[in-house]
Amino acid sequence: NKVLLLILAAGFLVRLVYVMYTPVTLRQHDVSSFGKGKGHSGYIEYIYNNWNVPDMDVRKISQFYHPPMHHILAAIWLRIQTTFGIAYKDACENIQILTLFYSSICMILSYKIFRALNLKKTALNVAVAIIAFCPTFFIMAGSINNDILSITFMLGAVLNTIYWYRNQKFRHIIAIAFCVGFGMMTKLSVWMITPAIAFVFIYVFFKNLKSFKKYLLQFATFGVICVPLGLWWAVRNLTKYGVPLT
């Protein structure tokens, strides 16, 4: 589909151009500035400098309460760049390469979701175009907070839930578990997708009660993977510093 390829290519190009002319000091959300020790930039720098997640009551510094998945990846990317001689200031700007990648992956995941929902031809092209040219995804491509990575994992969870609904294979439920787990390890609000996933699980379970052992095993596998990934950060802060789980 040449039209579809043009839409995806144009969507990536606009994201790329936006990132190229937008510095990490402009149109950011809760990021602060590098060197100030707070906000998402300070969180990334803390991991970069200490090779450890914040070892403190995370309520005392702005944004440090967030789970660390995005910030760990950004800090590793920062370290790789500076190791190869890229100036620290430029390396900080280049964190936008990660968020550009996440925003672009959102287009691909959305396309796959629409295909899985049997959209075709014009309907498919229009649906993909809405995602490809939605200004929010441009802004998030240049925003170095954890929002766009959390959305990427949420879309991955939606896609694999559709796959599992149609074919209840282990690989699909494992993919859902990792998407939700890593998503909550990025931003706790990813939990909001779980009621919809649970509804699908329950519906398929009662529709196929004769095979209940198969589904109980799959649900247990989901929990074993998802719960530790999604909640370890909150449980750690609760036990070490008394930070409420919410």
PDB file of all heavy atoms in Angstrom, residues 77-78 80-92 94:
ATOM      1  N   TRP A  77      21.935   5.366  27.455  1.00  0.00           N
ATOM      2  CA  TRP A  77      22.166   6.015  26.166  1.00  0.00           C
ATOM      3  C   TRP A  77      23.104   7.217  26.327  1.00  0.00           C
ATOM      4  O   TRP A  77      23.997   7.447  25.505  1.00  0.00           O
ATOM      5  CB  TRP A  77      20.841   6.426  25.563  1.00  0.00           C
ATOM      6  CG  TRP A  77      20.878   7.204  24.284  1.00  0.00           C
ATOM      7  CD1 TRP A  77      20.276   8.394  24.023  1.00  0.00           C
ATOM      8  CD2 TRP A  77      21.538   6.842  23.064  1.00  0.00           C
ATOM      9  NE1 TRP A  77      20.515   8.801  22.740  1.00  0.00           N
ATOM     10  CE2 TRP A  77      21.286   7.866  22.118  1.00  0.00           C
ATOM     11  CE3 TRP A  77      22.319   5.750  22.683  1.00  0.00           C
ATOM     12  CZ2 TRP A  77      21.780   7.834  20.834  1.00  0.00           C
ATOM     13  CZ3 TRP A  77      22.825   5.714  21.393  1.00  0.00           C
ATOM     14  CH2 TRP A  77      22.558   6.747  20.477  1.00  0.00           C
ATOM     15  N   LEU A  78      22.928   7.949  27.410  1.00  0.00           N
ATOM     16  CA  LEU A  78      23.798   9.081  27.711  1.00  0.00           C
ATOM     17  C   LEU A  78      25.232   8.609  27.920  1.00  0.00           C
ATOM     18  O   LEU A  78      26.190   9.204  27.407  1.00  0.00           O
ATOM     19  CB  LEU A  78      23.283   9.797  28.960  1.00  0.00           C
ATOM     20  CG  LEU A  78      23.652  11.267  29.187  1.00  0.00           C
ATOM     21  CD1 LEU A  78      23.197  12.136  28.034  1.00  0.00           C
ATOM     22  CD2 LEU A  78      23.034  11.746  30.507  1.00  0.00           C
ATOM     23  N   ILE A  80      26.654   5.803  26.824  1.00  0.00           N
ATOM     24  CA  ILE A  80      27.211   5.294  25.565  1.00  0.00           C
ATOM     25  C   ILE A  80      27.762   6.451  24.733  1.00  0.00           C
ATOM     26  O   ILE A  80      28.877   6.380  24.183  1.00  0.00           O
ATOM     27  CB  ILE A  80      26.140   4.517  24.771  1.00  0.00           C
ATOM     28  CG1 ILE A  80      25.808   3.195  25.484  1.00  0.00           C
ATOM     29  CG2 ILE A  80      26.621   4.230  23.343  1.00  0.00           C
ATOM     30  CD1 ILE A  80      24.622   2.455  24.879  1.00  0.00           C
ATOM     31  N   GLN A  81      26.992   7.514  24.653  1.00  0.00           N
ATOM     32  CA  GLN A  81      27.419   8.658  23.846  1.00  0.00           C
ATOM     33  C   GLN A  81      28.685   9.309  24.398  1.00  0.00           C
ATOM     34  O   GLN A  81      29.641   9.569  23.649  1.00  0.00           O
ATOM     35  CB  GLN A  81      26.295   9.704  23.789  1.00  0.00           C
ATOM     36  CG  GLN A  81      25.057   9.251  23.058  1.00  0.00           C
ATOM     37  CD  GLN A  81      24.017  10.356  23.035  1.00  0.00           C
ATOM     38  OE1 GLN A  81      24.088  11.278  22.214  1.00  0.00           O
ATOM     39  NE2 GLN A  81      23.066  10.287  23.950  1.00  0.00           N
ATOM     40  N   THR A  82      28.699   9.596  25.691  1.00  0.00           N
ATOM     41  CA  THR A  82      29.863  10.269  26.272  1.00  0.00           C
ATOM     42  C   THR A  82      31.100   9.372  26.235  1.00  0.00           C
ATOM     43  O   THR A  82      32.220   9.873  26.130  1.00  0.00           O
ATOM     44  CB  THR A  82      29.569  10.713  27.712  1.00  0.00           C
ATOM     45  OG1 THR A  82      29.133   9.594  28.493  1.00  0.00           O
ATOM     46  CG2 THR A  82      28.493  11.786  27.735  1.00  0.00           C
ATOM     47  N   THR A  83      30.902   8.067  26.310  1.00  0.00           N
ATOM     48  CA  THR A  83      32.021   7.131  26.206  1.00  0.00           C
ATOM     49  C   THR A  83      32.692   7.237  24.849  1.00  0.00           C
ATOM     50  O   THR A  83      33.920   7.097  24.734  1.00  0.00           O
ATOM     51  CB  THR A  83      31.538   5.687  26.451  1.00  0.00           C
ATOM     52  OG1 THR A  83      31.000   5.585  27.772  1.00  0.00           O
ATOM     53  CG2 THR A  83      32.685   4.689  26.301  1.00  0.00           C
ATOM     54  N   PHE A  84      31.892   7.504  23.824  1.00  0.00           N
ATOM     55  CA  PHE A  84      32.439   7.626  22.473  1.00  0.00           C
ATOM     56  C   PHE A  84      32.805   9.065  22.118  1.00  0.00           C
ATOM     57  O   PHE A  84      33.001   9.395  20.946  1.00  0.00           O
ATOM     58  CB  PHE A  84      31.452   7.062  21.450  1.00  0.00           C
ATOM     59  CG  PHE A  84      31.433   5.569  21.381  1.00  0.00           C
ATOM     60  CD1 PHE A  84      30.542   4.839  22.141  1.00  0.00           C
ATOM     61  CD2 PHE A  84      32.337   4.879  20.581  1.00  0.00           C
ATOM     62  CE1 PHE A  84      30.518   3.449  22.097  1.00  0.00           C
ATOM     63  CE2 PHE A  84      32.329   3.498  20.522  1.00  0.00           C
ATOM     64  CZ  PHE A  84      31.422   2.783  21.284  1.00  0.00           C
ATOM     65  N   GLY A  85      32.906   9.929  23.121  1.00  0.00           N
ATOM     66  CA  GLY A  85      33.449  11.264  22.921  1.00  0.00           C
ATOM     67  C   GLY A  85      32.459  12.346  22.566  1.00  0.00           C
ATOM     68  O   GLY A  85      32.866  13.484  22.263  1.00  0.00           O
ATOM     69  N   ILE A  86      31.172  12.048  22.592  1.00  0.00           N
ATOM     70  CA  ILE A  86      30.175  13.086  22.314  1.00  0.00           C
ATOM     71  C   ILE A  86      30.070  14.008  23.528  1.00  0.00           C
ATOM     72  O   ILE A  86      30.017  13.552  24.674  1.00  0.00           O
ATOM     73  CB  ILE A  86      28.801  12.458  21.996  1.00  0.00           C
ATOM     74  CG1 ILE A  86      28.905  11.644  20.693  1.00  0.00           C
ATOM     75  CG2 ILE A  86      27.712  13.511  21.885  1.00  0.00           C
ATOM     76  CD1 ILE A  86      27.640  10.899  20.334  1.00  0.00           C
ATOM     77  N   ALA A  87      30.078  15.303  23.295  1.00  0.00           N
ATOM     78  CA  ALA A  87      30.000  16.275  24.383  1.00  0.00           C
ATOM     79  C   ALA A  87      28.734  16.050  25.202  1.00  0.00           C
ATOM     80  O   ALA A  87      27.676  15.721  24.664  1.00  0.00           O
ATOM     81  CB  ALA A  87      30.016  17.692  23.817  1.00  0.00           C
ATOM     82  N   TYR A  88      28.865  16.250  26.516  1.00  0.00           N
ATOM     83  CA  TYR A  88      27.749  15.940  27.413  1.00  0.00           C
ATOM     84  C   TYR A  88      26.489  16.718  27.040  1.00  0.00           C
ATOM     85  O   TYR A  88      25.377  16.164  27.039  1.00  0.00           O
ATOM     86  CB  TYR A  88      28.148  16.252  28.858  1.00  0.00           C
ATOM     87  CG  TYR A  88      27.082  15.898  29.875  1.00  0.00           C
ATOM     88  CD1 TYR A  88      26.829  14.574  30.199  1.00  0.00           C
ATOM     89  CD2 TYR A  88      26.325  16.901  30.484  1.00  0.00           C
ATOM     90  CE1 TYR A  88      25.838  14.243  31.120  1.00  0.00           C
ATOM     91  CE2 TYR A  88      25.341  16.579  31.406  1.00  0.00           C
ATOM     92  CZ  TYR A  88      25.106  15.248  31.721  1.00  0.00           C
ATOM     93  OH  TYR A  88      24.126  14.932  32.639  1.00  0.00           O
ATOM     94  N   LYS A  89      26.631  17.986  26.702  1.00  0.00           N
ATOM     95  CA  LYS A  89      25.467  18.804  26.337  1.00  0.00           C
ATOM     96  C   LYS A  89      24.770  18.239  25.108  1.00  0.00           C
ATOM     97  O   LYS A  89      23.528  18.165  25.063  1.00  0.00           O
ATOM     98  CB  LYS A  89      25.904  20.249  26.084  1.00  0.00           C
ATOM     99  CG  LYS A  89      24.756  21.188  25.742  1.00  0.00           C
ATOM    100  CD  LYS A  89      25.253  22.613  25.515  1.00  0.00           C
ATOM    101  CE  LYS A  89      24.093  23.545  25.157  1.00  0.00           C
ATOM    102  NZ  LYS A  89      24.570  24.929  24.905  1.00  0.00           N
ATOM    103  N   ASP A  90      25.564  17.821  24.118  1.00  0.00           N
ATOM    104  CA  ASP A  90      24.985  17.241  22.908  1.00  0.00           C
ATOM    105  C   ASP A  90      24.349  15.886  23.211  1.00  0.00           C
ATOM    106  O   ASP A  90      23.302  15.536  22.646  1.00  0.00           O
ATOM    107  CB  ASP A  90      26.053  17.082  21.833  1.00  0.00           C
ATOM    108  CG  ASP A  90      26.574  18.421  21.332  1.00  0.00           C
ATOM    109  OD1 ASP A  90      25.817  19.409  21.401  1.00  0.00           O
ATOM    110  OD2 ASP A  90      27.737  18.475  20.890  1.00  0.00           O
ATOM    111  N   ALA A  91      24.980  15.136  24.095  1.00  0.00           N
ATOM    112  CA  ALA A  91      24.438  13.825  24.465  1.00  0.00           C
ATOM    113  C   ALA A  91      23.071  13.979  25.127  1.00  0.00           C
ATOM    114  O   ALA A  91      22.163  13.170  24.903  1.00  0.00           O
ATOM    115  CB  ALA A  91      25.406  13.094  25.394  1.00  0.00           C
ATOM    116  N   CYS A  92      22.924  15.014  25.942  1.00  0.00           N
ATOM    117  CA  CYS A  92      21.629  15.278  26.584  1.00  0.00           C
ATOM    118  C   CYS A  92      20.566  15.594  25.536  1.00  0.00           C
ATOM    119  O   CYS A  92      19.422  15.132  25.625  1.00  0.00           O
ATOM    120  CB  CYS A  92      21.754  16.421  27.583  1.00  0.00           C
ATOM    121  SG  CYS A  92      22.752  16.035  29.036  1.00  0.00           S
ATOM    122  N   ASN A  94      20.552  14.499  22.593  1.00  0.00           N
ATOM    123  CA  ASN A  94      20.316  13.283  21.816  1.00  0.00           C
ATOM    124  C   ASN A  94      19.440  12.263  22.532  1.00  0.00           C
ATOM    125  O   ASN A  94      19.107  11.217  21.948  1.00  0.00           O
ATOM    126  CB  ASN A  94      21.645  12.637  21.428  1.00  0.00           C
ATOM    127  CG  ASN A  94      22.409  13.449  20.406  1.00  0.00           C
ATOM    128  OD1 ASN A  94      21.825  14.265  19.686  1.00  0.00           O
ATOM    129  ND2 ASN A  94      23.714  13.250  20.337  1.00  0.00           N
TER     130      ASN A  94
END
